[in-house]
Amino acid sequence: MTEAAGVPLRVLSYNIHSQRDDTAALAAVVREAAPDVVILQEAPRRFRWRQKSATLAASFGLVVAAGGLPALGNLLLTSLRVRVLATRCQRYPLTPGRHMRGAAYAECRVGGARFLLAGSHLSTDPAERPGQAAAFKRELAAADLPVVAGADLNEGPGGAAWRTVADGLTDAAAATGCVDRHTCPCASPRARIDALLVDPRITVVAYDVVDTPLTRRASDHFPLLADLRLPTAG
């Protein structure tokens, strides 16, 4: 089999349930996956969030790239193989009585390839979710760089918010025939509400919903793990 052209990148997207579960198992899961970049949902976002984010990253053998409190708990981490060139955070409009949510972005370089890493966690409220999806999608669509986006969309592929965010992007699960792999809850998986979406210029070499005894202890969501090939800058 011919190896896919481009620069390899291993990506992990993971809702870590605010670290309420087995944190030793969580660290073991990420270290075993050995990702180049990690997109986290429900990461530290409150008191001492900078220290907590740095400690979490260190437990994975990674460093903080962007996010935390400014992105309402969306956190981007990288290995030292990846150079972070620029970062920004986004906050969605607050609906009274609901949790404020947002997104994190990092422009990165690995080898001869540049890409935009993005992460978000949309609302559980079906009335609020479409507006957040549209706000997230505007940022992704405006990017000049190939996009690698991980998100807990809180709905399946048939939902309007999912369709909005995924429009024009490659669903890594669909590209590898894994649309029947549910992502949560770990105790009784029955929904695919977590997505890894990439620019069509990016090749999805492999994708997995990591279901192991460790991942069932580490969070209420399974992590999404993908091997990608990024186009080199021309």
Side-chain angles (χ1 to χ4, degrees):
M1 180 181 294
T2 303
E3 186 173 330
V7 177
L9 185 78
R10 174 164 280 196
V11 181
L12 188 75
S13 184
Y14 204 173
N15 182 322
I16 61 171
H17 201 207
S18 300
Q19 297 173 265
R20 292 197 292 262
D21 302 297
D22 187 330
T23 55
L26 176 64
V29 166
V30 178
R31 284 183 174 271
E32 184 174 319
D36 297 302
V37 296
V38 174
I39 305 164
L40 295 178
Q41 301 89 41
E42 294 196 27
R45 59 174 285 176
R46 294 186 176 89
F47 181 64
R48 296 174 58 235
W49 65 271
R50 289 184 181 85
Q51 180 179 339
K52 291 177 180 177
S53 296
T55 299
L56 179 64
S59 75
F60 299 159
L62 303 170
V63 296
V64 173
L69 175 62
L72 289 313
N74 296 287
L75 188 64
L76 306 179
L77 310 178
T78 70
S79 72
L80 296 181
R81 177 172 176 257
V82 178
R83 181 183 176 190
V84 177
L85 305 174
T87 66
R88 64 185 185 277
C89 294
Q90 177 183 21
R91 292 189 173 191
Y92 304 138
L94 176 63
T95 300
R98 305 294 303 175
H99 294 296
M100 181 174 280
R101 295 180 185 264
Y105 305 89
E107 296 180 15
C108 302
R109 178 188 292 275
V110 58
R114 293 180 61 187
F115 64 99
L116 177 68
L117 187 67
S120 189
H121 185 185
L122 302 189
S123 176
T124 57
D125 181 359
E128 187 179 29
R129 209 159 44 234
Q132 295 176 351
F136 187 40
K137 184 61 177 182
R138 282 193 293 271
E139 293 296 317
L140 300 180
D144 294 326
L145 299 175
V147 169
V148 176
D152 177 349
L153 298 174
N154 263 314
E155 67 178 33
W162 182 298
R163 294 197 307 270
T164 294
V165 177
D167 183 42
L169 299 175
T170 299
D171 179 344
T176 52
C178 295
V179 294
D180 59 341
R181 300 289 304 281
H182 295 158
T183 64
C184 79
C186 288
S188 180
R190 56 183 178 271
R192 185 166 81 94
I193 64 173
D194 302 279
L196 184 61
L197 306 165
V198 303
D199 188 285
R201 292 170 287 179
I202 295 173
T203 302
V204 181
V205 177
Y207 168 88
D208 190 21
V209 177
V210 186
D211 180 354
T212 67
L214 274 179
T215 59
R216 286 175 178 261
R217 286 163 39 197
S219 177
D220 63 338
H221 288 239
F222 293 124
L224 314 182
L225 180 63
D227 286 307
L228 310 177
R229 289 278 174 167
L230 307 178
T232 54

